[in-house]
Every structure is written in C-alpha cells, then in structure tokens.
Amino acid sequence: MPRKTHTDRRDSRKSRGKATLTEKRTPLPKPKIDFTVDALDYKNVNLLRQFVTDQGRILPRKYTGLPAHYQRQLNRAIKRARQMLLMK
C-alpha cells in the first residue's frame, strides 16, 4: 500500500466538513405550534410538554421558532412546573 503524500492530506482536509460556496444548507423545519400567550402558564402542562424532549430538556429557540421574549417566558413556566412537580 503506497504512503500518503502531503498533497493527498491537503485534498482530504478540504472536502471534510466545510461547504463550498455553491452548496447551501437546508434549514431544519421548525415546528409550528399555535398557542396564545395567555396559555403560556406553568399550569398548562399539556402545552409545556410540547417544548420538552423525552429526556426532559427544554427545546432551544432554534427548534421552537419562538421569539426571544416568549422563549424566556416558556423557560420560566417549565421550570416553575418542575418545581411544583407538575412536570419532570
């Protein structure tokens, strides 16, 4: 088996992880969950469960598609529901 030369290594590095200018990433689909802001409460456990993974992690804004101030309210509501043992 022939040994790799330095030029072979450089070529393999270029194509490893970086996208070229012509390639564009497709954005992840964001789940569309319709709710009113008034429904965003720590007592509304059915709504809050939609924003939590099976392991109990809160989904980031990237996946929820919520504005920043709603995401903060959501985080607060989920943490309150956990404190009151309404959620795990």
Side-chain angles (χ1 to χ4, degrees):
M1 180 176 216
R3 291 179 63 166
K4 285 188 174 183
T5 61
H6 291 291
T7 56
D8 294 339
R9 285 189 204 151
R10 277 190 224 123
D11 293 337
S12 65
R13 283 185 194 156
K14 286 180 185 175
S15 64
R16 200 178 301 171
K18 299 195 177 189
T20 60
L21 295 175
T22 58
E23 295 177 28
K24 292 195 177 190
R25 284 195 222 168
T26 57
L28 291 173
K30 294 181 180 180
K32 300 294 180 194
I33 302 170
D34 293 329
F35 66 94
T36 61
V37 183
D38 300 332
L40 193 57
D41 190 23
Y42 71 94
K43 293 175 267 185
N44 194 351
V45 180
N46 292 329
L47 176 70
L48 297 180
R49 281 199 181 127
Q50 295 177 351
F51 295 100
V52 178
T53 63
D54 294 336
Q55 291 94 19
R57 294 181 184 158
I58 301 171
L59 289 174
R61 238 182 100 198
K62 178 178 172 182
Y63 298 114
T64 60
L66 295 174
H69 60 285
Y70 290 154
Q71 183 73 24
R72 285 192 293 271
Q73 287 180 8
L74 176 74
N75 288 342
R76 227 177 288 131
I78 290 173
K79 290 175 183 181
R80 280 186 185 159
R82 286 177 180 164
Q83 284 289 322
M84 302 229 176
L85 298 177
L86 298 174
M87 288 180 68
K88 286 190 178 183

